[in-house]
Amino acid sequence: MKNTTKLLAAALFAVAILFGTNVKAQMITPDKLRFGIGVEGGAVTGAAHDLSNAYIGGTGRLQYGLSNNFAITLTSGYYNFFGKDEPGTDVKYQSLGMVPIKAGIKAFFAPNFYFGAEAGAGIETKTFLPQGIDSQAGEKDTKLILSPAIGYASKSWDVGVRYENFSGQSNNYGLVGLRIAYGFGL
């Protein structure tokens, strides 16, 4: 809960900075492509919280405007869930790596503010194993990703907060993440 509070405080701070820079209102240009490069981080939830507290990642997002207030998106990149020590033992877990591939929507409900939703697959490239065990020995899964979001976008910047759920193979977990991205038209 402490990490979630810090994450929300950081998101509010980033939005306050964007408001203070006197940016112009977001306008999706219909029939035009945009590309955004983002960094993100946040807290791990669910079953993976026993093995990791935090993740960091980098993503690219392609956005195509369908109208002035609605766009479709395609997002991919890499997430690293940092392994942590098992309490009361000398066991430290390796990090879990994942490549997300998601399609989604962005719907602006007020100038600069949007709701987002994405669905896709998360391909694990590394899995949580105790340190010293070959990472190739672990079984890597592909997870279903479902992710609602809320965000603020200007002409060049996009700041979003989301919950992302990973499910499948009887091992479900999630994250609460903050993404800050720089975008430009193609």
Side-chain angles (χ1 to χ4, degrees), residues 28-76:
I28 295 176
T29 307
D31 300 324
K32 296 289 182 185
L33 286 172
R34 289 187 56 78
F35 185 71
I37 299 170
V39 297
E40 52 187 80
V44 179
T45 65
H49 184 67
D50 295 338
L51 306 171
S52 175
N53 285 329
Y55 91 99
I56 192 166
T59 51
R61 177 175 291 154
L62 190 61
Q63 175 179 302
Y64 180 75
L66 295 176
S67 73
N68 288 334
N69 297 340
F70 193 79
I72 56 174
T73 62
L74 181 61
T75 307
S76 189

Side-chain angles (χ1 to χ4, degrees), residues 46-183:
H49 184 67
D50 295 338
L51 306 171
S52 175
N53 285 329
Y55 91 99
I56 192 166
T59 51
R61 177 175 291 154
L62 190 61
Q63 175 179 302
Y64 180 75
L66 295 176
S67 73
N68 288 334
N69 297 340
F70 193 79
I72 56 174
T73 62
L74 181 61
T75 307
S76 189
Y78 188 79
Y79 301 158
N80 186 70
F81 295 81
F82 296 103
K84 68 179 184 181
D85 297 335
E86 187 172 310
T89 69
D90 291 334
V91 176
K92 174 157 176 60
Y93 288 96
Q94 299 175 32
S95 295
L96 179 138
M98 179 174 288
V99 174
I101 303 168
K102 305 178 288 183
I105 61 164
K106 279 172 96 173
F108 283 82
F109 60 90
N112 300 90
F113 289 95
Y114 66 87
F115 288 118
E118 293 180 308
I123 303 164
E124 294 178 347
T125 61
K126 300 185 297 183
T127 189
F128 292 121
L129 289 172
Q131 293 283 354
I133 296 178
D134 182 12
S135 63
Q136 299 303 316
E139 186 175 321
K140 296 167 209 68
D141 295 323
T142 299
K143 303 288 191 186
L144 170 67
I145 298 176
L146 298 174
S147 178
I150 189 164
Y152 175 89
S154 69
K155 183 177 178 183
S156 299
W157 293 97
D158 186 336
V159 177
V161 177
R162 74 182 186 290
Y163 174 74
E164 196 156 296
N165 182 65
F166 306 95
S167 59
Q169 297 85 26
S170 300
N171 180 16
N172 304 323
Y173 52 93
L175 62 85
V176 175
L178 170 69
R179 180 177 188 265
I180 300 174
Y182 178 77

Side-chain angles (χ1 to χ4, degrees), residues 10-32:
L12 290 173
F13 178 73
V15 169
I17 288 173
L18 288 175
F19 273 124
T21 59
N22 206 12
V23 290
K24 294 183 180 170
Q26 167 69 20
M27 302 255 320
I28 295 176
T29 307
D31 300 324
K32 296 289 182 185

